[in-house]
Amino acid sequence: FKINIILNIIPYEFLLFISFLLIVIGIWSACINKNNLFKLILSLEIIYLGISFLFILIGLINLDIKCFIITLIIFSSAAAETALVLSLLISLFTFNRTINISGLNNLIYYQLYL
């Protein structure tokens, strides 16, 4: 298989380290940038990327198709979540002229009393 050639060139321990590093960087940036909604979305996408990379790597090592199906589900849910949050980001920016999460309360109160 060509997959075994790829895993023989790059050791899978290194690829596991990269996927865990992506997950840790995403969690760390989500904890640091908890006020800015755009940076929070990007850090969640980094977490999704690390988890997807981990499932793809496990699927390559075990030659299991279920991991690839789970990765497709993760990608589709990440795309739907990003579309919803970006629409919320646009409405937040047009109402408050800022993308801080603290402005979400003003947007919610404005929508409730319309």
Side-chain angles (χ1 to χ4, degrees), residues 13-29:
E13 292 91 2
F14 177 72
L15 296 174
L16 281 172
F17 174 73
I18 294 295
S19 66
F20 284 124
L21 186 69
L22 282 172
I23 294 169
V24 168
I25 287 173
I27 292 172
W28 179 69
S29 66

Side-chain angles (χ1 to χ4, degrees), residues 84-98:
L84 288 173
V85 174
L86 284 178
S87 66
L88 178 68
L89 182 75
I90 290 170
S91 64
L92 178 68
F93 184 75
T94 55
F95 183 71
N96 288 336
R97 296 292 179 207
T98 184

Side-chain angles (χ1 to χ4, degrees), residues 93-111:
F93 184 75
T94 55
F95 183 71
N96 288 336
R97 296 292 179 207
T98 184
I99 55 174
N100 287 335
I101 293 181
S102 61
L104 279 176
N105 290 332
N106 296 335
L107 182 66
I108 292 170
Y109 291 140
Y110 177 73
Q111 293 295 327

Side-chain angles (χ1 to χ4, degrees), residues 23-91:
I23 294 169
V24 168
I25 287 173
I27 292 172
W28 179 69
S29 66
C31 291
I32 287 179
N33 300 316
K34 56 186 170 185
N35 291 334
N36 194 344
L37 188 62
F38 186 71
K39 290 179 182 177
L40 191 64
I41 295 168
L42 287 178
S43 61
L44 286 176
E45 292 298 322
I46 290 173
I47 294 170
Y48 284 148
L49 179 69
I51 292 170
S52 299
F53 189 61
L54 182 67
F55 273 112
I56 288 174
L57 187 61
I58 290 171
L60 285 176
I61 291 170
N62 296 334
L63 294 175
D64 191 13
I65 194 69
K66 294 174 193 171
C67 295
F68 298 112
I69 294 171
I70 291 172
T71 303
L72 287 175
I73 292 170
I74 290 172
F75 281 152
S76 62
S77 65
E81 177 260 338
T82 303
L84 288 173
V85 174
L86 284 178
S87 66
L88 178 68
L89 182 75
I90 290 170
S91 64

